[in-house]
Amino acid sequence: MAVTLHGANESHSVEETVYPLDISIIIPVYNEEENLALLYQGMKPVLEGLGRSFEIIFVDDGSRDGSPQVLAALNAADARCRVIRFRRNFGQTAAMSAGFSYAKGAVIITLDADLQNDPGDIPMLLEKIDDGYDVVSGWRIHRKDKFITRRLPSICANWLISRITGVKLHDYGCTLKAYKNEVAQNIDLYGEMHRFIPALASWMGISVTEIPVSHHPRKHGKSKYGLSRTLRVFLDLITVKFLLSYSTKPLQMFGSVGVLASAMGFSIAAYLSYDKLFRGNPLSNRPMLFLAILMILVGIQFITMGLLGEMMARIYHDEQKKPIYVIKEILE
Ligand code: UDP
Ligand code: MG
């Protein structure tokens, strides 16, 4: 049983958390009726072989096929299988987030329900966690998905995410990952953000590593995603970058752009005024005038936006009792 220290959400103090279980497996499920029993049978021997206490949390994300019945049967047969059922389809990220909230294990492992991830890789992930890493990410070296719609966008996205977030991973999209529970608890998830957990968590100063994992083609059911996800992931990346770099200092970001724009606008306006007043050149036929006006206005808007951002950041951290830091330990 793990005893860990982390900044609690309720107070800014360091709190000891004792987790009732060793491992929580979290599985988002959306219309996967043919896969669930096979998945359970694949996981059971692996998990039992570890000799640690575990639970398997299936989060049924509003499935409209027979998945709820299969899950109820699994739950009835094995009390270690817990099921969280959503009222409707909220998306994979929401499903994983619900799993994190209910997980009782010191280590959380997420994997897909469609048998594309291999439960046989779980012990490898756990070994890395035991070595002291906070997050271990799977890397699907031989990914078995369509090239144009899935693998190519993913290669570009992974490159971009690495560059922008500074967390170097080859395969953000792989659901098979292991986290220490306290890392997962400190993250708020929205949109398509489950793939950004390692990046979002990086602000806490965590250690992340990745290991090659197996990947299988989907045999039953259909993939829920297509090319359109690329755009959503890209937009989420902008949010993540903002959260990571500027959320506690929005005025520094918006304000610097604003001051720069205003300064340029004022310089142009000053030059034009000088030209008009002392050299008698008319202003009426000079497009530069519009540029000057535009830049001054845009600049003021950016500064105002930054100030509003500052207020929102304060409200956000106050209301949610969200510290702007995470403590590892205190030696008294
Ligand atoms: N999933 C979910 N809610 C959704 C879409 C997907 O819970 O709205 C689950 C799905 O059942 C699977 C995992 O998320 O377990 C990954 O989905 P999928 O296999 O379709 O994605 P891909 O592997 O094609 O990226
Ligand atoms: Mg899949």
Side-chain angles (χ1 to χ4, degrees):
M1 199 162 289
V3 179
T4 44
L5 297 172
H6 69 100
N9 277 345
E10 298 304 305
S11 67
H12 291 206
S13 68
V14 175
E15 182 184 86
E16 251 181 46
T17 311
V18 180
Y19 297 100
L21 293 173
D22 294 326
I23 301 166
S24 295
I25 309 282
I26 297 177
I27 304 174
V29 177
Y30 183 47
N31 297 342
E32 307 280 6
E33 57 182 352
E34 294 124 310
N35 294 317
L36 294 170
L38 292 169
L39 178 67
Y40 171 71
Q41 281 151 23
M43 270 188 314
K44 196 173 167 232
V46 176
L47 293 172
E48 285 176 348
L50 292 169
R52 305 191 198 185
S53 58
F54 67 88
E55 63 179 350
I56 307 177
I57 304 179
F58 292 94
V59 187
D60 176 9
D61 185 15
S63 297
R64 282 184 292 259
D65 64 351
S67 301
Q69 288 75 32
V70 181
L71 292 178
L74 287 177
N75 168 258
D78 185 344
R80 293 168 302 188
C81 291
R82 302 168 68 202
V83 180
I84 299 170
R85 240 181 109 186
F86 283 178
R87 282 188 177 270
R88 66 167 176 86
N89 179 245
F90 286 95
Q92 187 183 351
T93 299
M96 290 171 65
S97 180
F100 289 154
S101 306
Y102 288 92
K104 293 187 197 144
V107 178
I108 293 179
I109 296 175
T110 53
L111 77 163
D112 281 347
D114 56 3
L115 303 172
Q116 291 200 266
N117 296 134
D118 197 326
D121 291 325
I122 291 176
M124 267 191 331
L125 294 173
L126 283 171
E127 250 171 58
K128 286 286 176 189
I129 293 278
D130 293 342
D131 287 349
Y133 287 100
D134 299 304
V135 176
V136 185
S137 181
W139 171 15
R140 299 164 290 182
I141 291 201
H142 303 291
R143 191 168 163 187
K144 303 288 190 313
D145 281 319
K146 289 197 186 96
F147 185 75
I148 293 291
T149 52
R150 308 305 301 279
R151 271 158 51 210
L152 185 65
S154 147
I155 292 169
C156 304
N158 286 321
W159 179 82
L160 195 67
I161 298 171
S162 285
R163 288 295 303 268
I164 289 186
T165 65
V167 179
K168 303 271 178 279
L169 291 180
H170 289 91
D171 187 8
Y172 287 88
C174 182
T175 311
L176 183 57
K177 290 189 173 80
Y179 314 86
K180 287 197 180 144
N181 196 323
E182 65 266 25
V183 172
Q185 299 310 327
N186 266 305
I187 305 274
D188 301 317
L189 294 174
Y190 299 94
E192 282 287 316
M193 288 212 180
H194 60 88
R195 71 188 54 243
F196 293 118
I197 298 173
L200 284 169
S202 70
W203 80 274
M204 293 193 273
I206 53 158
S207 53
V208 183
T209 187
E210 67 182 346
I211 53 171
V213 295
S214 326
H215 195 239
H216 307 291
R218 196 186 242 282
K219 290 201 201 77
H220 309 286
K222 282 200 292 280
S223 171
K224 277 80 198 174
Y225 302 107
L227 207 53
S228 73
R229 181 165 67 182
T230 313
L231 179 64
R232 284 180 282 147
V233 167
F234 178 71
L235 291 172
D236 279 347
L237 178 60
I238 298 177
T239 314
V240 169
K241 175 65 187 170
F242 179 74
L243 288 176
L244 280 180
S245 307
Y246 302 108
S247 70
T248 52
K249 40 180 196 270
L251 186 58
Q252 289 184 20
M253 183 179 97
F254 292 114
S256 42
V257 179
V259 168
L260 206 71
S262 290
M264 283 167 73
F266 273 117
S267 315
I268 297 170
Y271 167 74
L272 291 177
S273 310
Y274 170 82
D275 220 30
K276 160 87 180 148
L277 292 174
F278 297 101
R279 295 208 206 123
N281 289 330
L283 283 177
S284 54
N285 60 346
R286 311 195 72 167
M288 286 293 265
L289 181 63
F290 292 105
L291 185 66
I293 297 170
L294 184 75
M295 289 182 92
I296 293 170
L297 286 180
V298 166
I300 292 171
Q301 295 229 302
F302 264 100
I303 295 168
T304 321
M305 212 139 68
L307 284 170
L308 288 177
E310 289 284 333
M311 291 181 61
M312 309 251 293
R314 280 164 179 66
I315 295 170
Y316 173 77
H317 285 286
D318 278 8
E319 287 282 290
Q320 309 222 347
K321 298 274 175 278
K322 268 206 175 308
I324 52 172
Y325 52 81
V326 178
I327 296 170
K328 192 167 187 192
E329 61 179 348
I330 294 178
L331 305 175
E332 314 239 35

